[in-house]
Amino acid sequence: MKILLSLFISTLLYTSPISADTGPGGLGGCDRCVQSLRSDIHGYQIAQKDEESIPVRDVRRGDARNVAFRSELMYKFLIAEFARHNKLYDLSAETLVEILRNEERADIAEMAADAANVARRLDLALEAAKIWFRLDPDSIKARFVYLTVVISNNEFMVARPLVEDFLSNNESEPDKKLQYVSELVARAQDRDGGYRFLLEVTQQTPGSFLKSLLLGQSAWRAGLAQDAIARADEALVYKPRSEDAALLKASALRQVDGERSIRFLSEFLDSHPDANGVRTSVVADLIREERYEEAIPHLQHLAREDASNANIRFTLALVLFEVGEFEESKARVHRALSLGYEDRASAYFQLGLIDEELDELPAAANWFSSVPKGVRYIEAQTRLAKIKFATEGLEPTVAYLNQRANETPEYLVFFVELQGMIYREAGKLDEYFTVLDEGLESTPDDPSLLYSSAMAAEQLGRLDILELRLRRLIELQPDNAQAYNALGYTLADKTDRFDEAKTLLVRALELSPDDPVYIDSMGWIEFKLKDYDESISLLQRAYELERHPEIAAHLGEALWAQGREVEAKSVWTGALDQFPDNDVLLETVERYGVD
C-alpha cells in the first residue's frame, strides 16, 4: 500500500479533483461498456445455438433474464451518453450511479465518479468513489478520487489513516507529499475542520518552511488570522526573504488591521527592496485605503523594474489622476497604449476624463466617442452627451442621441433616458416627460423607462401617472424595493394617504432593511403620522448611514416638531456647511426661519 501511495502522489498530481477526461469523447467508457454488453448478448446467442443438447426451456429461463438485464443496462448507458452529449450532466451522473448500484464494477464506478464531478454532484461522486475504492483498492486513480471526495465531504476520520500512512512513507519526496495533502484539504467544505485535520496528520512530519507555509495558508482560508500569522512567522524564520510567507502574513494581518499589514510589508521591503510581489501587494493596500501619494513611489519603482509592463503604467496613470497630476497621468496612459495595453476602452475613457479635467472638452469628447460598446460605453456616452450639451447646446445634443438610438437599437432605452436627462438639465420638464413617455410606446413594460417616466411625471405634478407607472413596475417586479419606496414616499409627501404609504414603505424596508434612503422614507411617514419619537429614531439611523442633505432636512423637522429646536438647527447648520446649495435643505431652513 505504501509503495502504491508513493507512486500515486509522484505520478498523479492532478489539477482537477476528479478527471472528467476518460479519453476521446469524454465519457467514452460508456461506449466500451455498451460494446461489452453487446458482446455478452451476442455470445449468449451463439452459445444458445451450440448447446442444443441442453433442454431449451431451462436455458432460456435463466439466460433470457440475464439478456433482459443486460439490455436494460445497455439502454441506461445510452441514456447516460445521450445526456452527456446534450450537457444534461445531472441526468448523466444520476443514470451512471443507478447503473453502478445494480452492477458494481470498477470501470462503471470510475465513469460514475467522473460524471458526478462534471455535474458538480458531490453526493453522487462520494457514493461512486467509495464503491470504486472498495472494488479496486490498488488503483492509483481510485485512491486519488476517493481521498479527494471524502475530504471534500469533510469525512476527515475516514481519510486520516490513508493520509497518515502516505505521509509516513519515506519512499517519495516529503515536500511533494505535503503539497498534495494540503491541496486535498483545501477542497474541504469545512475550512476550519480542514485546518485542524491538516494539523493532526502532519504532527509527525518534521518542521520545515513548506509545512509552516501550508499550515498558515490553511489557517488563513479558515479565517483563523492569528494562527496564520504565527505559521507565517515560523516560515519566515526558515526563509526570511520568502515573499510567499510575507504575503501570507500580510493577508492575515489585513483580517485584523489593514494598517498593520501595510506597515509590515513596508518594513519587509526596507530589508528586501527587490521583492516586487510584496511591493505590488503594498500598492494594492494603499490604493484600497486611498493613500495615493504613498502608492506612487512604489509604482514608479515597479515601472523601472519592468519597463515593458503596460498594466503597471496604466495603474500609475490612474493614481496620478487621483492626485491631480493630469498631464503626467495622460503621458502614462499613452505610454501604456504604446506598450500594448489591451483594455483600450478603459484607456480611451481615462484620456477623456483627463481632458475634461484639463478643460480640453473637444479632445475629451473625441476620446469618449472612441470608447467601443462594452463596459465603459454607457458612461462614456453619458459624459459625451453632457459635453455636447455644454458646448453645442440642446438641439444638437438631442439630435445626436436620436441618431445613436437609431443606430444602436440594443441601447435604445439608455439613449431615450439620456435624452430625458438632458431635457431635465435644460429645464424642459414637459419634453423630459414626453421623450420618456414616447420611449414607453416602443417598450411599454421596460422597468427602467417605467421608473424614469414616473419620476418625470412627479416633476410635473402628475401623481396619477406616477402611481400608474410605479404600480405597473411593482406588478412586473414584485421585489423592486426602489419602486415601493418611490411610490410610498410620494404618497407620504404629496398626499394624505398615509396608511397606503406606510404599507408600501414597510415592504421596501423588508426587501432592503439597511438602505438609508428607505429608512429616511419610513422616518418621514412616521413624522407625517406624528409619531415623532419613532420618526427621530429612524431618521437618526438613516443620517448615521449616509450624511445626505435631504435626510438632514427631515431629521431637523422631526426634532423641531418635538420642541428640540437647538438640535434641529445644529443638524441643519452642519448639513449646510457640507451641502450649501441643496434646494431641499435651503427651502426647509427658510421655511422655519433659521438664519
Side-chain angles (χ1 to χ4, degrees), residues 126-422:
L126 183 62
E127 182 178 352
K130 285 183 175 180
I131 294 172
W132 184 12
F133 181 66
R134 173 166 53 79
L135 295 173
D136 193 3
D138 292 331
S139 163
I140 293 174
K141 185 179 177 184
R143 287 170 179 271
F144 172 77
V145 173
Y146 178 68
L147 271 176
T148 299
V149 174
V150 296
I151 290 177
S152 296
N153 201 51
N154 308 322
E155 296 189 19
F156 302 119
M157 294 302 294
V158 174
R160 182 168 178 172
L162 281 173
V163 172
E164 287 181 337
D165 184 49
F166 167 64
L167 288 173
S168 65
N169 173 19
N170 295 321
E171 295 181 20
S172 61
E173 298 179 39
D175 282 358
K176 284 187 177 180
K177 292 191 296 184
L178 275 173
Q179 186 74 49
Y180 163 68
V181 173
S182 175
E183 288 173 3
L184 282 182
V185 171
R187 299 186 179 109
Q189 295 174 317
D190 178 2
R191 298 293 180 85
D192 185 84
Y195 170 60
R196 307 297 175 192
F197 171 74
L198 191 60
L199 273 176
E200 291 171 3
V201 297
T202 58
Q203 279 182 348
Q204 303 305 315
T205 304
S208 68
F209 165 76
L210 185 63
K211 178 181 177 180
S212 295
L213 182 68
L214 293 176
L215 285 170
Q217 290 171 343
S218 183
W220 178 77
R221 284 192 296 268
L224 302 170
Q226 296 300 338
D227 281 35
I229 292 167
R231 298 297 176 182
D233 283 335
E234 287 176 8
L236 286 167
V237 171
Y238 287 106
K239 291 186 179 180
R241 298 179 61 86
S242 169
E243 290 191 56
D244 288 337
L247 291 172
L248 170 62
K249 181 173 181 178
S251 297
L253 285 170
R254 199 175 295 122
Q255 292 180 340
V256 179
D257 181 356
E259 177 56 36
R260 284 180 63 192
S261 172
I262 294 173
R263 188 164 59 248
F264 163 71
L265 290 176
S266 298
E267 291 170 356
F268 187 88
L269 283 173
D270 289 340
S271 302
H272 313 292
D274 57 341
N276 287 336
V278 169
R279 196 176 296 279
T280 301
S281 183
V282 169
V283 168
D285 282 346
L286 291 171
I287 291 175
R288 192 180 298 113
E289 296 293 323
E290 299 183 6
R291 292 161 60 174
Y292 302 117
E293 293 280 4
E294 295 175 60
I296 290 173
H298 293 296
L299 282 166
Q300 290 171 333
H301 178 97
L302 290 170
R304 287 192 300 271
E305 290 288 308
D306 190 356
S308 63
N309 191 314
N311 290 329
I312 291 173
R313 303 279 176 165
F314 189 70
T315 304
L316 179 55
L318 296 178
V319 172
L320 289 166
F321 177 83
E322 292 295 333
V323 299
E325 296 288 344
F326 301 123
E327 292 289 358
E328 183 65 19
S329 176
K330 182 191 289 190
R332 298 287 182 169
V333 176
H334 283 296
R335 179 60 178 151
L337 286 169
S338 72
L339 290 170
Y341 185 67
E342 293 183 357
D343 189 359
R344 303 185 81 82
S346 292
Y348 295 158
F349 183 79
Q350 190 62 32
L351 287 168
L353 292 179
I354 293 168
D355 281 334
E356 260 193 313
E357 292 292 340
L358 294 171
D359 204 28
E360 297 175 3
L361 297 185
N366 183 57
W367 286 118
F368 289 135
S369 66
S370 300
V371 174
K373 296 175 187 176
V375 176
R376 293 287 188 180
Y377 182 72
I378 286 178
E379 191 175 358
Q381 288 293 321
T382 301
R383 289 186 171 274
L384 177 58
K386 289 181 177 180
I387 291 173
K388 280 185 172 294
F389 178 51
T391 58
E392 300 175 25
L394 178 62
E395 295 308 320
T397 305
V398 171
Y400 168 78
L401 295 174
N402 268 321
Q403 178 187 349
R404 299 302 295 151
N406 292 329
E407 292 173 349
T408 55
E410 68 271 31
Y411 289 100
L412 172 66
V413 169
F414 162 66
F415 282 113
V416 167
E417 292 189 316
L418 196 47
Q419 287 181 60
M421 182 195 75
I422 294 298

Side-chain angles (χ1 to χ4, degrees), residues 37 40-41 43-44 59-73 103:
L37 290 168
D40 288 346
I41 294 169
Y44 159 72
V59 173
R60 287 180 178 174
R61 278 184 177 176
D63 287 355
R65 284 194 296 270
N66 186 52
V67 171
F69 175 67
R70 294 289 179 177
S71 297
E72 183 182 353
L73 284 183
E103 182 81 351

